[in-house]
Structures are given as C-alpha cells and as structure tokens.
C-alpha cells in the first residue's frame, strides 16, 4: 500500500507552523544565554563537519524522549526556560523536529532555515572536534 503523505507535504505542514530563523539572525543569537542551539545531526556529521559553538547535541532519534519530562531519558536542558533553535544539515530534520516538540508543548522553538549548510555559507563560526 502506498503512503498517503510524503516528505514534501510533511515539510510544508511543518514550515507553516514553525518559525524559521535566517542564518544571519541566528548568528546574532550565538552567545545569548536565553537561546539553546540544538544540533539534531548524526554524530558522524558532527565529527566530520563540526557544529555551532556551544550547541547541545540531541540525535534526532532521541528527541521526543529527551524532551518529555516523564521519560526516563529526559534531559534537564529541555526543562529550562529558554528558546530552542533546532538545526540539522539542510533544515528538513529541524523543521520536522521543531514541529514535533512544539506539538509536545515545548516553547518557544524555531529552526535554522537552510540548516548548518546555510550557517557555514554565512561564515557562522564552527566548533571542530579539536575545539571541543
């Protein structure tokens, strides 16, 4: 049986309800104590490409478990009164993730438009494995 909703529709729905932050605006938020950058990429992507300095790494597959305070895997950072800015490589996983956690009640949340690729294209700072 074919699927009834594809990735294009899922992304459209996410982008309709989630705030997308332009890379230039996201760069200005770096160092803001009220903003948590959340890196959803696979650990291999982080090792290969680096990450936004100070970003909290949350593998996409663990997101809902780490956000839910009732989960045995809950991470306290998601219980803090902060703004959460999710990002991935291109902005697809982060749009879907931000929509999901927004539906769970986490707020405020947004995602990085164009992802880490767009961040690097805007010359945003990158923390490499040697820096961490």
């Amino acid at each position: 049986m074919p699927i009834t909703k594809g990735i294009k529709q899922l992304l459209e729905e996410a982008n309709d309800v989630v705030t997308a932050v332009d890379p230039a605006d996201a760069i200005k938020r770096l160092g803001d104590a009220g903003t948590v950058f959340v890196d959803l990429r696979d650990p291999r992507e982080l090792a290969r490409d680096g990450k936004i300095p100070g970003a909290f790494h949350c593998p996409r597959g663990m997101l809902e478990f780490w956000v839910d305070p009732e989960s045995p895997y809950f991470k306290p950072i998601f219980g803090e009164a902060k703004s959460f800015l999710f990002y991935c490589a291109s902005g697809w996983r982060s749009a879907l993730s931000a929509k999901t956690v927004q539906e769970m009640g986490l707020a405020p949340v947004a995602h990085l438009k164009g992802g880490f690729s767009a961040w690097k294209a805007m010359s945003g700072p990158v923390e490499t494995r040697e820096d961490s």
Side-chain angles (χ1 to χ4, degrees):
M1 173 162 248
I3 62 171
T4 58
K5 188 184 288 192
I7 191 66
K8 287 181 184 178
Q9 186 176 349
L10 289 171
L11 285 168
E12 284 176 20
E13 291 172 2
N15 286 316
D16 284 345
V17 297
V18 172
T19 300
V21 176
D22 287 317
D25 292 330
I27 290 169
K28 292 175 189 172
R29 292 190 192 186
L30 192 61
D32 172 14
T35 300
V36 177
F37 284 80
V38 181
D39 192 324
L40 298 162
R41 296 172 304 144
D42 181 277
R44 292 168 293 196
E45 292 174 282
L46 272 71
R48 181 186 65 225
D49 301 324
K51 67 176 188 161
I52 293 174
F56 178 75
H57 180 234
C58 175
R60 175 60 190 98
M62 293 303 296
L63 180 63
E64 293 85 350
F65 300 99
W66 286 13
V67 168
D68 183 355
E70 299 296 318
S71 166
Y73 302 105
F74 174 69
K75 298 294 183 188
I77 194 166
F78 290 113
E80 296 179 13
K82 307 262 183 175
S83 295
F84 297 92
L85 182 54
F86 292 87
Y87 73 93
C88 60
S90 63
W92 294 4
R93 288 173 283 179
S94 59
L96 296 174
S97 297
K99 180 178 185 284
T100 297
V101 298
Q102 191 169 282
E103 290 171 349
M104 292 175 73
L106 187 67
V109 299
H111 87 103
L112 179 59
K113 185 177 182 179
F116 190 61
S117 299
W119 175 272
K120 290 192 308 186
M122 290 291 299
S123 300
V126 175
E127 179 179 279
T128 62
R129 187 172 219 171
E130 294 75 34
D131 296 331
S132 5

